[in-house]
Amino acid sequence: MFGVCLSQRSLRLSLKMRVWVIFLLCLAGKALAAPTEEEPVVEETEVGANPVQVETGEFDEAIEVEEELVTETENPCLNHHCKKGKVCEVDDSNTPMCVCQDPSTCPSSVGEFEHVCGTDNKTYDSSCHFFATKCTLEGTKKGRKLHLDYIGPCKYIAPCVDSELNEFPLRMRDWLKNVLVTLYERDEDHNLLTEKQKLRVKKIYENEKRLHAGDHSLDLLAHDFEKNYNMYIFPVHWQFGQLDQHPIDGYLSHTELAPLRAPLIPMEHCTTRFFEQCDADNDKYIALEEWADCFGIKEQDVDKDLVI
Ligand SMILES: *[C@@H]1O[C@H](CO)[C@@H](O)[C@H](O)[C@H]1NC(C)=O
Ligand SMILES: [Ca+2]
Ligand SMILES: [Ca+2]
């Protein structure tokens, strides 16, 4: 996706003002060094990169990779891609096919940060172990219901009460805006943003009234949203566009939302509830209109053309 590595620091989304270090992520490579609770990797910016840019492929369990047949003589598996949890094997007639990966063949995890928690509230050693296990349940009801819930070992997640639920979008919006500004600042020729996007962010970046990144109180965040409402419209749309990829249809599925949800849940215990209530009509998809509404964007400001 992007040809750069973004190392990132504190995503100050947490309720208790804890500083959460997120990832040192290399988007070009497949490295996902994950959250630790130690003090962070020193970084020049305050803002975290967007978890959405964390290797999106990590979560696209439901995305079927086409099992293309390639006329390779030597190794038919060479160009035969399988979706997560499967590996390629050749049958008697040398035809490649995707079969469930044996979890014991997954690289062993080097630390807790590689663990993932499934919706069955079971901890898996790594996402490889998770998807391999899910594959073995394919076709069963249990398999259909099993998703990767979040990154890290399963833990107790406190219930999200109403007052906390209302705080979530305040921090999230602020954070999205800051992520965009950071991408803009760093984007000389890295193509982190398209030209169109850059123009949009430039307006925010150059606005003197902009609330700069920092540890702001919820009151200030709320006040800023009222005062500088227009600055938040694009970031909310942009995030939607980042997620709406498989397919690009104006709706977010559970799987499309996963790259944002999965790293966020262990830090923000209202994540699950927030995105559940975003799906106002309960059809299991979050439409752009629902998404915008969730983040306090007025109906008349929802604009498909901003999702670019
Ligand atoms: C999930 O597992 C964790 C750790 O084993 C436990 O503390 C937590 O209470 C469980 N959550 C639920 C909803 O059962
Ligand atoms: Ca979609
Ligand atoms: Ca919906």
Side-chain angles (χ1 to χ4, degrees):
M1 201 178 2
F2 307 134
V4 296
C5 291
L6 292 179
S7 65
Q8 87 165 61
R9 209 207 132 178
S10 74
L11 163 65
R12 286 166 199 270
L13 283 176
S14 165
L15 286 174
K16 297 178 191 80
M17 309 266 285
R18 288 165 78 179
V19 177
W20 291 92
V21 187
I22 321 279
F23 321 92
L24 178 74
L25 39 116
C26 184
L27 301 161
K30 285 223 153 191
L32 171 75
T36 58
E37 294 191 2
E38 317 273 303
E39 249 311 291
V41 184
V42 182
E43 247 301 303
E44 69 271 29
T45 45
E46 281 289 288
V47 193
N50 191 335
V52 173
Q53 288 143 8
V54 174
E55 192 198 337
T56 326
E58 196 66 26
F59 310 104
D60 37 5
E61 46 185 284
I63 298 156
E64 293 284 344
V65 176
E66 258 180 56
E67 303 190 1
E68 47 192 82
L69 288 177
V70 180
T71 46
E72 281 268 344
T73 38
E74 324 86 21
N75 185 355
C77 273
L78 216 54
N79 287 307
H80 191 78
H81 298 289
C82 299
K83 69 169 180 169
K84 288 211 171 269
K86 292 192 172 191
V87 287
C88 178
E89 275 179 14
V90 289
D91 65 5
D92 296 341
S93 56
N94 213 30
T95 309
M97 51 182 198
C98 294
V99 297
C100 285
Q101 179 173 9
D102 178 351
S104 68
T105 63
C106 286
S108 51
S109 56
V110 289
E112 277 220 329
F113 63 82
E114 280 191 45
H115 294 350
V116 298
C117 182
T119 45
D120 54 357
N121 201 34
K122 272 198 194 134
T123 301
Y124 296 81
D125 278 358
S126 67
S127 62
C128 173
H129 291 86
F130 172 82
F131 288 115
T133 307
K134 182 173 159 74
C135 185
T136 63
L137 296 170
E138 214 164 70
T140 66
K141 199 173 162 198
K142 205 172 155 198
R144 262 195 309 281
K145 275 170 58 184
L146 182 62
H147 296 283
L148 193 158
D149 200 14
Y150 52 90
I151 292 176
C154 298
K155 59 178 192 178
Y156 171 73
I157 292 183
C160 167
V161 301
D162 292 352
S163 59
E164 295 168 328
L165 187 63
N166 298 334
E167 296 168 1
F168 184 91
L170 290 173
R171 290 190 299 270
M172 184 87 191
R173 273 189 309 245
D174 179 58
W175 175 64
L176 283 176
K177 179 166 65 69
N178 295 335
V179 165
L180 268 178
V181 167
T182 306
L183 288 177
Y184 177 80
E185 285 172 331
R186 294 190 190 177
D187 193 22
E188 270 145 41
D189 40 26
H190 298 311
N191 297 318
L192 298 173
L193 298 170
T194 64
E195 290 307 316
K196 263 187 174 171
Q197 291 172 333
K198 266 188 237 175
L199 283 178
R200 300 262 176 205
V201 186
K202 188 166 185 260
K203 278 198 204 144
I204 302 172
Y205 180 75
E206 289 176 350
N207 194 323
E208 283 163 17
K209 296 192 199 115
R210 171 165 67 92
L211 180 65
H212 288 259
D215 248 334
H216 303 306
S217 69
L218 292 164
D219 283 346
L220 181 55
L221 292 178
H223 174 73
D224 191 62
F225 182 62
E226 241 174 70
K227 200 179 88 191
N228 290 321
Y229 167 77
N230 284 329
M231 289 190 210
Y232 292 92
I233 298 174
F234 178 64
V236 168
H237 283 77
W238 172 76
Q239 176 67 98
F240 187 88
Q242 294 285 300
L243 296 168
D244 183 21
Q245 297 288 334
H246 305 287
I248 303 175
D249 58 1
Y251 294 90
L252 300 182
S253 63
H254 187 277
T255 304
E256 285 177 307
L257 199 55
L260 178 64
R261 267 179 50 121
L264 216 51
I265 292 174
M267 302 182 249
E268 282 275 357
H269 68 287
C270 284
T271 307
T272 300
R273 203 179 145 194
F274 179 77
F275 290 120
E276 268 169 18
Q277 54 109 47
C278 264
D279 177 18
D281 65 1
N282 240 322
D283 68 350
K284 303 263 183 255
Y285 291 92
I286 300 178
L288 175 61
E289 294 74 16
E290 289 174 326
W291 176 267
D293 186 48
C294 256
F295 285 103
I297 302 299
K298 297 172 196 145
E299 209 178 327
Q300 67 263 31
D301 297 316
V302 179
D303 181 357
K304 282 195 170 58
D305 295 335
L306 286 180
V307 184
I308 35 175

